[in-house]
Amino acid sequence: MSPHPTEEIMADGGVRWILSDEEREHLGQLLSVEASTFANLKGNVMNRSRITCKKCGKKSGLDDMVHGAIALGIHSNGYMIDTLLHGPDQPSPAHAIDCSKCEETFEGALAWWSPSNWTF
Ligand SMILES: [Zn+2]
């Protein structure tokens, strides 16, 4: 078992996917900024627990959502960084996301819980 919890059930609903240092590094790489940009980002609050990729075993994370958004080209890096740092102000429709490691689609629909605080 990991000594660090990877999730936290929120009192007002939703499940926080607690951001790991590895994910923080990955976000920095994806968005071309220092990982320390996300030092105060505690994790994204979602409608459900993390999903394990059935192909490579990766746990779904914020990095997978950012990876997908970059691939689609729907948001600027600046917009995504701002949203990550302050939490979303709009609910998201539930949708499938792809694993950023192997491109397999996670089984299940994901949406972030809103409004929710993503920072410490
Ligand atoms: Zn995978």
Side-chain angles (χ1 to χ4, degrees):
M1 291 292 285
S2 164
H4 299 291
T6 60
E7 295 185 346
E8 175 183 3
I9 307 293
M10 307 303 284
D12 54 353
V15 180
R16 172 177 276 148
W17 299 0
I18 298 170
L19 197 67
S20 69
D21 287 342
E22 187 182 355
E23 289 171 333
R24 209 168 262 120
E25 285 289 335
H26 196 195
L27 286 181
Q29 289 168 15
L30 288 168
L31 294 165
S32 304
V33 293
E34 296 290 327
S36 61
T37 304
F38 307 108
N40 291 325
L41 178 57
K42 187 169 185 185
N44 47 313
V45 182
M46 303 297 289
N47 63 327
R48 51 163 297 162
S49 292
R50 292 177 188 258
I51 303 170
T52 302
C53 175
K54 66 180 190 292
K55 192 169 171 188
C56 77
K58 183 189 185 303
K59 296 269 193 192
S60 61
L62 196 52
D63 51 349
D64 301 309
M65 285 182 277
V66 169
H67 175 264
I70 291 171
L72 291 172
I74 48 180
H75 300 306
S76 69
N77 281 13
Y79 174 85
M80 283 190 277
I81 291 166
D82 190 61
T83 299
L84 295 178
L85 293 182
H86 299 107
D89 54 8
Q90 305 251 8
S92 69
H95 63 286
I97 60 168
D98 295 338
C99 174
S100 61
K101 197 168 167 187
C102 75
E103 308 294 338
E104 183 76 14
T105 301
F106 287 105
E107 287 184 332
L110 291 163
W112 57 68
W113 197 266
S114 183
S116 60
N117 183 7
W118 288 15
T119 58
F120 282 104

